[in-house]
Amino acid sequence: MNYRHPQLEAEALNCGDSGWNSTFWAERLPVMLIAFRRKRARGWNMQFRTKRINLVAGVVGALTAATLGLSATPASAGESGRPEAAPKRAAAEVHCTSFTWVPSDGGLYLHRPSTTANSGNYNCVVARGDHNYAVLALQESLNACYTQGLKEDSDFGPATEQAVKNAQTEINGIYGPVLSVDGRFGPKTSSYFSFELYRQDGSHTTGCR
């Protein structure tokens, strides 16, 4: 290690010495060594304090996590080394709440279950537990077009669910196994379904389409 110091060198030269003589070293070296040891000791002290602070912080963090019921281990990582994202939840199922008047031949209309009244959006489901105008329109078509003999009460219960299964089975008999026989009136069942026809005043006819 180089202990040369510009100020000390200047002082030595001012004493008339041509260089670093033994007398100069005898007077200065002990002081320099003591200063160096103190400086190094302070450095070790700082390192020790830093390590001790880090250790205390780690212990406090672990105790806090345990108290709050949190996991002290990091989130699991995938093959990329990044934490794996939580699985995405499936989108909430949309249920039909009413029906849309769909024009047909001869100035007649059919009532097709939709998200809301006359929305024209048929990407919805009518299923067990529903109680609304969509269920009523479905029950009327099940009775008129599939002779199910349901009570038209707007309540989708076990009888209506079985009637939908019967209609799905009948449709599969015509078009092949295109539908799941699950008793749920969804968009696919709706696309193959036959609906009762109504007059402009809303009165029933005997026809289906």
Side-chain angles (χ1 to χ4, degrees), residues 53-74:
I53 290 170
N54 290 340
L55 177 61
V56 171
V59 172
V60 171
L63 290 175
T64 302
T67 302
L68 298 177
L70 302 174
S71 173
T73 58

Side-chain angles (χ1 to χ4, degrees), residues 23-102:
T23 303
F24 178 81
W25 277 107
E27 293 175 353
R28 296 293 187 179
L29 186 57
V31 176
M32 294 172 63
L33 290 175
I34 291 172
F36 170 73
R37 287 171 181 168
R38 286 178 179 174
K39 185 176 180 181
R40 186 170 59 178
R42 283 198 299 272
W44 286 344
N45 248 359
M46 289 299 296
Q47 291 179 8
F48 175 74
R49 288 178 183 176
T50 302
K51 290 180 180 179
R52 185 168 59 182
I53 290 170
N54 290 340
L55 177 61
V56 171
V59 172
V60 171
L63 290 175
T64 302
T67 302
L68 298 177
L70 302 174
S71 173
T73 58
S76 59
E79 292 181 359
S80 64
R82 299 177 180 174
E84 293 181 351
K88 292 183 179 179
R89 293 183 178 182
E93 187 174 67
V94 177
H95 283 244
C96 305
T97 62
S98 190
F99 57 85
T100 294
W101 287 67
V102 181

Side-chain angles (χ1 to χ4, degrees), residues 97-148:
T97 62
S98 190
F99 57 85
T100 294
W101 287 67
V102 181
S104 186
D105 298 332
L108 300 178
Y109 296 84
L110 55 88
H111 294 171
R112 184 174 178 180
S114 55
T115 54
T116 55
N118 289 317
S119 67
N121 184 353
Y122 313 116
N123 190 26
C124 55
V125 176
V126 187
R128 176 81 77 96
D130 288 345
H131 187 89
N132 49 43
Y133 285 118
V135 179
L136 179 60
L138 176 60
Q139 289 173 331
E140 290 177 350
S141 289
L142 284 168
N143 287 340
C145 306
Y146 297 93
T147 62
Q148 292 301 302

